[in-house]
Amino acid sequence: MSLTQDLKTLYHLSLSPIRGQTHAERLKSFYGKQAEGYDDFRRRLLPGRETLYRALPAPAGGRWLEMGGGTGANLEFLGERIRDLGHVDIVDLCGPLLEIAQRRIADRGWTNVHTTEYDATTFQAEPYDVITFSYSLTMIPDWFAALERATALLKPGGMLGVVDFYVSRKHPDQGRARHGWLTRSFWPFWFNRDNVFPNPDHLPYLQRHFTLELLEEGRAKVPYVPFARVPYYVFVGRKG
């Protein structure tokens, strides 16, 4: 990736105005002009994805749903296991990102992978064995509805995987990371401009509604922002 492409991506992340009356319009406005450089820049910004996808099963003949799956790059972390799955859906409201996903599907020969431009909060389909949110839950305004929809779409015993940015509650549960006032104040302010909302309630909600299989909390470097470390988590839970 060239410095020129990085600077272009940074401009659209930080300075380019985001327009639109609906969530779909705002996503297209935000991602449309940076879609081509999206994957390479996010590869350096979005940690924990490999950990998540390696921790999840890919049952032979199973069904997998990527909620807010964008360009489909996350599925690369499955490696050859993706071919064991019977059906994979990438659902996203952003058409420009799904165009990249369609090219990736064709290039990789993933005949079992399909894209759908649709709202994750109202998507309907047959039940799934695995559902993932990779840095998408913070971008869904009605995240309650998105998780309720995912729960409804999961088979009994199905697995939910989430990796995303977050901030802790002021007084998190015992054993969980506790972020100071500056972290809890700065990162929501920094991300909100791009309609990304790190939320102190995402992780507690997940822990209370799914049987915990894996939980990791960490800090990620931000490209071209020295000393900045943004909190993120990796969660895997099982539907009871």
Side-chain angles (χ1 to χ4, degrees):
M1 175 60 67
S2 68
L3 177 60
T4 300
Q5 183 62 60
D6 271 3
L7 291 174
K8 180 180 178 181
T9 301
L10 283 167
Y11 168 76
H12 290 298
L13 279 171
S14 305
L15 298 173
S16 181
I18 301 172
R19 299 184 173 90
Q21 296 299 311
T22 68
H23 185 49
E25 290 171 350
R26 290 188 291 271
L27 286 173
K28 185 175 182 180
S29 172
F30 181 60
Y31 286 118
K33 295 180 181 179
Q34 55 171 301
E36 293 295 333
Y38 178 91
D39 285 332
D40 187 80
F41 192 85
R42 266 63 175 196
R43 177 177 54 79
R44 290 166 285 157
L45 177 64
L46 308 180
R49 293 180 295 166
E50 184 171 3
T51 298
L52 176 66
Y53 286 79
R54 289 185 180 276
L56 289 165
R63 290 171 54 80
W64 186 301
L65 172 60
E66 281 267 284
M67 288 280 212
T71 67
N74 300 315
L75 296 174
E76 301 276 7
F77 295 114
L78 290 174
E80 287 302 308
R81 293 192 301 146
I82 193 172
R83 302 185 191 279
D84 296 332
L85 293 163
H87 187 93
V88 180
D89 281 315
I90 302 172
V91 174
D92 203 291
L93 265 178
C94 186
L97 295 184
L98 288 179
E99 290 175 7
I100 304 295
Q102 289 159 6
R103 296 209 299 263
R104 172 173 277 107
I105 290 166
D107 290 344
R108 304 297 189 272
W110 291 344
T111 57
N112 56 341
V113 182
H114 312 272
T115 65
T116 302
E117 188 171 341
Y118 211 86
D119 188 334
T121 66
T122 56
F123 181 68
Q124 300 279 351
E126 295 179 13
Y128 293 89
D129 298 280
V130 182
I131 297 179
T132 45
F133 292 84
S134 177
Y135 290 96
S136 58
L137 193 60
T138 48
M139 299 198 70
I140 300 174
D142 192 350
W143 63 272
F144 283 109
L147 287 176
E148 288 172 355
R149 187 90 291 269
T151 302
L153 288 170
L154 266 179
K155 296 177 181 178
M159 304 292 283
L160 180 80
V162 184
V163 57
D164 216 326
F165 298 124
Y166 82 121
V167 291
S168 75
R169 290 176 171 175
K170 183 177 181 179
H171 301 290
D173 290 344
Q174 187 174 6
R176 300 277 65 86
R178 180 174 183 174
H179 302 146
W181 174 85
L182 183 60
T183 293
R184 289 184 285 107
S185 302
F186 174 74
W187 288 113
F189 172 81
W190 193 80
F191 278 111
N192 284 182
R193 189 256 166 212
D194 292 332
N195 295 317
V196 177
F197 302 99
N199 193 304
D201 294 326
H202 286 180
L203 191 51
Y205 181 98
L206 290 167
Q207 290 179 266
R208 283 160 176 74
H209 289 81
F210 294 88
T211 301
L212 180 64
E213 298 284 336
L214 171 71
L215 176 56
E216 295 184 4
E217 298 172 277
R219 297 263 189 155
K221 296 179 180 179
V222 180
Y224 302 105
V225 185
F227 310 114
R229 298 292 186 272
V230 56
Y232 73 96
Y233 67 89
V234 179
F235 175 90
V236 175
R238 184 182 299 276
K239 178 179 176 179

